[in-house]
């Protein structure tokens, strides 16, 4: 499945977050901040050039079951993950 993160997401409640444009030293703080302000039922569509396994562990530890993780694309150089806020 191909997804272009440079295009806006038109579906209500899905907000794009392209980590490739954020300086590395700010990325995790920016991602956590974005997740914290989402409301139940909203999704952050995260795009990155690598699979962020350490970040996923940190999100699990910080948010627990409040955030559901679903890969949209998982090809080398093209990682797209939906973070759905459940409650």
């Amino acid at each position: 499945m191909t997804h272009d993160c440079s295009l806006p997401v038109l579906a209500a409640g899905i907000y794009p977050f392209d980590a490739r444009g954020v300086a590395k030293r700010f990325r995790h703080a920016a991602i956590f901040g974005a997740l914290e302000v989402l409301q139940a039922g909203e999704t952050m569509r995260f795009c990155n050039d690598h699979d962020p396994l350490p970040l996923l562990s940190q999100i699990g530890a910080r948010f627990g079951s409040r955030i559901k993780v679903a890969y949209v694309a998982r090809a080398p150089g093209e990682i797209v993950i939906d973070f759905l806020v459940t409650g």
Side-chain angles (χ1 to χ4, degrees):
M1 173 183 275
T2 300
H3 175 80
D4 184 352
C5 286
S6 66
L7 300 175
V9 175
L10 300 178
I14 298 178
Y15 300 95
F17 186 102
D18 191 341
R20 298 169 297 186
V22 179
K24 287 186 181 187
R25 66 185 183 142
F26 300 129
R27 279 187 194 168
H28 287 205
I31 293 162
F32 294 144
L35 290 172
E36 287 173 357
V37 299
L38 289 176
Q39 298 178 8
E42 294 181 326
T43 298
M44 181 176 82
R45 178 153 292 162
F46 171 84
C47 298
N48 204 4
D49 56 2
H50 66 277
D51 203 347
L53 298 176
L55 173 66
L56 296 180
S57 294
Q58 291 173 357
I59 288 171
R62 186 171 182 150
F63 295 99
S65 62
R66 183 173 174 254
I67 303 289
K68 288 193 176 183
V69 176
Y71 281 85
V72 176
R74 200 173 190 180
E78 180 189 1
I79 304 297
V80 181
I81 303 171
D82 278 354
F83 295 110
L84 170 65
V85 178
T86 61

